[in-house]
Amino acid sequence: MDLKEAKEIIKAGLTWANWTEEQKEAMKIAYKSMVVVEDIKGLCIDCEGDRRAIQPYEILDLLED
């Protein structure tokens, strides 16, 4: 399963699944983590062309709410 499919399942589950509030919060965190992973992958592609490393602050910026 790829990230796009996993995100779609989480979004659907948040709409109709009978999850507890704690489970819903966990799924929101998981969804956000998947978005950040996609963003980091995008940075890595850019980094190869620029021959520079991803800086820690760039990852932290992606993780902020």
Side-chain angles (χ1 to χ4, degrees), residues 22-63:
E22 187 175 55
Q23 289 169 318
K24 287 179 186 177
E25 186 62 30
M27 289 299 148
K28 289 177 185 176
I29 291 169
Y31 185 91
K32 182 179 176 184
S33 297
M34 290 177 201
V35 170
V36 170
V37 166
E38 289 174 329
D39 290 344
I40 290 170
K41 284 182 177 180
L43 283 175
C44 291
I45 291 168
D46 293 341
C47 290
E48 284 187 31
D50 295 342
R51 296 282 191 229
R52 69 177 185 89
I54 297 174
Q55 299 299 314
Y57 68 86
E58 291 175 309
I59 294 172
L60 292 175
D61 288 344
L62 292 171
L63 294 173

Side-chain angles (χ1 to χ4, degrees), residues 1-12 30-31 34-35 37-38 41:
M1 175 182 304
D2 64 7
L3 288 178
K4 182 179 178 182
E5 186 179 3
K7 286 173 25 185
E8 289 174 9
I9 291 169
I10 289 173
K11 285 187 342 187
Y31 185 91
M34 290 177 201
V35 170
V37 166
E38 289 174 329
K41 284 182 177 180

